[in-house]
Amino acid sequence: MNLLYKSTRSKEGTVTASEAILKGLADDGGLFVPEYIPKLDVTMDELKEMSYQETAYAVMKQFLTDFTEEELKHCINSAYDSKFDTEVIAPLVKVGDVYHLELFHGATIAFKDMALSILPHLLTTAAKKNNVTREIVILTATSGDTGKAALAGFADVPGTKIIVFYPKGGVSRVQELQMVTQKGDNTAVVAIHGNFDNAQSGVKALFEDKELEKELADAGYQFSSANSINIGRLVPQVVYYVYAYAKLLQNEEIAAGEEINVTVPTGNFGNILAAYYAKQMGVPIAKLICASNENKVLFDFFRTGVYDRNRDFILTSSPSMDILISSNLERLIYTIAGQDADRNAELMSQLRERGSYEITPEMKERLADFEGGFATEDETKEAIHTTYERTGYVMDTHTAVASSVCAKYRKDSGDQKKCLIASTASPYKFIHSVMTAIDEKYASVDEFELIDELSRISGTEIPGAIQEIRNAQIRHNRECDADKMKETVKEILSV
Ligand SMILES: *Cc1c(COP(=O)(O)O)cnc(C)c1O
């Protein structure tokens, strides 16, 4: 049976999975959601024996029902190949009394590779299926990691162009270098004078601009999104929670049917939503622990039922989570509103107009699977430091937020279920913060010198992605004001 998708903001109309991937965002500004979450049709005993690629097929075929087996397997095998530095794609590592699922072994050493290495293949396959002849222009706002992962995924993919906006000064030195050195004739990178929310709101406005859409169509272009609002970004992420659970079982760390908790360092709410979908597919997950940094909008939301973005935007050492509007939360709001698109649209318009909204007590009850937590900058540092001291394992700042929140949750609640932590970036990517957390003496040392030192103290190999940028040439130096994004896009496309 075909699983169809609809917008979170209107009752009318459904699209196929491939149409939803192509469009990115619905015409009414809503996000595409499947009409229901499909169940796994294989057993855990079968999943236990599967490779990452096989697991990906078992999960994704349930969501992307208008892709043929051949098409989907081709997408999966083109994505999860030697671009990853380990055959298992997402290694599961026991650190102290928790399990880290390392999602940073792809081209850009952060977890967004998990979805962005497959999205270009899903998108070009979807274009073929729907007889799209226009060139696809990927427009993306990034808080650091998405940008590079999308650039790496789309570089030189025929029939596509990609334009990435990032907040000037709001990403790490390594992240910036990774983006501005990107090769590929179809790539463009723009630093905007503003923060990530400005970049993201700007991109959303471009997608909703009918006049621009028409101008682009006349010039042979059509926009699509690689941001985590695209359902083609979300579905591949469900895979790794299924995979992690099956591996815990295979390694006899848990018994059949045993429930685990999952802690996810959260920004745009994509990764943790994927975990929620995995739970609904049938993976025995108890709590979904949503870990925020000092931009703790989500923590406050889970506690009070009020989502309020009216607050100072704090630059932290986990910049990919410095977000005040978590776009993917809309999919959860829609779900807990009983799939009531009108109710959801009303709340989203309050968010746009007042910067806040409050859910009903009934909706709040449906959030029982979630637990909010946050870590301060000091607690994040402390988590990196003590974990290294006790185990020799070095984690990045984002993962450290999750690690700290997970430990606090266990202590405060007494809930001793085994805990899986989504480990979202390599420590090499946020090396300065990581190394100074381990020892203050590194504070004045240059980032590039710290690379060898991290390799030495952690006994890990320097990732290829880091080796590459050491000598790479800068290829992008465009900047623009946050209110000039439209003009900039037109300039890049010569429209
Ligand atoms: C994007 C990102 C996150 C946040 O993930 P969301 O899906 O946006 O919640 C966490 N850690 C790192 C390293 C990231 O790049």
Side-chain angles (χ1 to χ4, degrees):
M1 207 176 71
N2 234 3
L3 176 58
L4 295 175
Y5 288 75
K6 51 199 228 185
S7 165
T8 50
R9 294 193 195 171
S10 61
K11 290 203 167 78
E12 313 300 317
T14 51
V15 295
T16 61
S18 66
E19 285 167 341
I21 289 171
L22 263 180
K23 287 179 82 81
L25 199 67
D27 289 333
D28 53 33
L31 276 55
F32 287 115
V33 279
E35 287 192 306
Y36 58 89
I37 305 297
K39 296 279 177 203
L40 286 164
D41 70 349
V42 285
T43 65
M44 272 300 160
D45 271 338
E46 289 167 302
L47 283 163
K48 243 167 54 175
E49 308 300 327
M50 288 187 194
S51 66
Y52 191 86
Q53 293 83 346
E54 289 164 341
T55 311
Y57 180 68
V59 172
M60 291 176 67
K61 75 176 167 59
Q62 300 296 85
F63 282 97
L64 310 182
T65 54
D66 69 329
F67 284 65
T68 65
E69 175 171 353
E70 194 192 345
E71 285 168 341
L72 198 50
K73 285 189 169 163
H74 175 75
C75 291
I76 290 167
N77 294 328
S78 310
Y80 305 117
D81 61 7
S82 59
K83 288 192 285 301
F84 286 76
D85 66 16
T86 160
E87 250 170 50
V88 300
I89 307 296
L92 189 65
V93 182
K94 190 166 186 187
V95 180
D97 57 0
V98 294
Y99 302 87
H100 282 230
L101 180 65
E102 293 187 349
L103 302 170
F104 54 76
H105 290 271
T108 74
I109 57 174
F111 94 98
K112 293 189 177 67
D113 288 328
M114 301 304 294
L116 280 164
S117 49
I118 193 166
L119 183 69
H121 303 286
L122 295 175
L123 202 57
T124 46
T125 307
K128 267 192 222 120
K129 295 180 85 64
N130 291 280
N131 306 314
V132 170
T133 50
R134 292 196 197 99
E135 191 159 17
I136 294 169
V137 179
I138 301 295
L139 217 52
T140 292
T142 185
S143 55
D145 287 336
T146 304
K148 177 61 187 188
L151 287 162
F154 282 94
D156 291 327
V157 172
T160 70
K161 277 196 167 41
I162 173 161
I163 305 174
V164 169
F165 292 94
Y166 73 94
K168 183 83 192 160
V171 302
S172 84
R173 175 91 186 113
V174 168
Q175 285 178 318
E176 184 168 41
L177 269 175
Q178 282 189 311
M179 287 191 278
V180 298
T181 56
Q182 178 64 46
K183 294 189 186 130
D185 290 339
N186 62 339
T187 63
V189 178
V190 185
I192 70 151
H193 307 139
N195 61 34
F196 172 69
D197 283 326
N198 299 135
Q200 177 154 271
S201 308
V203 165
K204 271 197 118 178
L206 293 177
F207 278 122
E208 287 165 28
D209 189 330
K210 295 286 168 211
E211 196 185 310
L212 181 63
E213 184 180 326
K214 170 109 195 14
E215 281 178 71
L216 287 183
D218 291 344
Y221 293 119
Q222 127 174 14
F223 278 147
S224 190
S225 156
N227 265 58
S228 61
I229 48 178
N230 193 315
I231 198 78
R233 279 281 300 278
L234 198 54
V235 169
Q237 297 197 52
V238 179
V239 176
Y240 46 72
Y241 292 104
V242 178
Y243 180 75
Y245 188 88
K247 290 303 135 191
L248 282 171
L249 207 53
Q250 191 189 31
N251 299 346
E252 297 180 356
E253 296 288 346
I254 54 173
E258 182 176 338
E259 285 194 326
I260 62 166
N261 292 329
V262 170
T263 308
V264 184
T266 298
N268 233 342
F269 210 75
N271 198 353
I272 193 164
L273 188 69
Y276 181 57
Y277 283 6
K279 173 173 175 147
Q280 288 172 287
M281 285 192 97
V283 180
I285 294 171
K287 286 280 181 198
L288 299 144
I289 303 167
C290 175
S292 300
N293 63 22
E294 289 180 1
N295 294 292
K296 58 181 184 55
V297 190
L298 288 166
F299 167 78
D300 294 338
F301 169 70
F302 284 118
R303 202 168 42 96
T304 63
V306 176
Y307 192 93
D308 188 358
R309 54 119 338 134
N310 298 305
R311 61 182 77 203
D312 288 337
F313 182 91
I314 303 168
L315 291 177
T316 72
S317 58
S318 45
S320 301
M321 295 157 66
D322 289 347
I323 286 174
L324 295 180
I325 301 177
S326 300
S327 304
N328 264 301
L329 186 68
E330 179 168 346
R331 289 189 165 109
L332 180 64
I333 298 296
Y334 171 81
T335 305
I336 61 172
Q339 311 216 329
D340 182 339
D342 292 338
R343 178 98 200 94
N344 173 65
E346 167 61 25
L347 293 175
M348 292 308 129
S349 90
Q350 288 175 19
L351 178 63
R352 213 166 34 247
E353 278 147 32
R354 294 188 225 141
S356 70
Y357 61 81
E358 178 166 12
I359 60 172
T360 63
E362 196 194 359
M363 287 168 74
K364 193 159 183 289
E365 270 174 36
R366 297 194 180 128
L367 290 177
D369 289 339
F370 290 88
E371 188 73 37
F374 76 100
T376 63
E377 286 292 275
D378 281 345
E379 287 169 330
T380 305
K381 265 186 142 174
E382 172 74 19
I384 295 172
H385 186 89
T386 51
T387 299
Y388 176 68
E389 294 273 284
R390 283 184 198 150
T391 67
Y393 185 80
V394 180
M395 58 188 167
D396 102 288
T397 45
H398 303 75
T399 309
V401 167
S403 167
S404 171
V405 165
C406 177
K408 265 190 289 186
Y409 168 76
R410 290 186 127 187
K411 187 155 167 279
D412 295 348
S413 67
D415 179 351
Q416 289 303 317
K417 281 186 212 62
K418 306 250 166 60
C419 195
L420 180 74
I421 289 180
S423 179
T424 51
S426 159
Y428 286 90
K429 199 155 188 178
F430 300 94
I431 196 158
H432 196 263
S433 306
V434 167
M435 292 301 276
T436 45
I438 289 174
D439 194 328
E440 275 299 333
K441 77 178 183 201
Y442 295 121
S444 56
V445 184
D446 176 76
E447 280 201 7
F448 283 94
E449 280 173 44
L450 288 177
I451 292 169
D452 296 309
E453 185 66 2
L454 173 53
S455 176
R456 193 182 66 77
I457 68 161
S458 64
T460 55
E461 251 176 68
I462 300 172
I466 293 288
Q467 301 276 28
E468 257 173 38
I469 55 162
R470 278 183 150 176
N471 309 306
Q473 194 193 339
I474 304 224
R475 300 182 74 255
H476 305 272
N477 53 17
R478 208 183 278 267
E479 294 190 13
C480 82
D481 288 338
D483 60 357
K484 291 279 182 295
M485 287 167 63
K486 182 172 174 175
E487 288 77 0
T488 306
V489 165
K490 289 171 77 168
E491 198 181 292
I492 290 167
L493 298 175
S494 316
V495 174

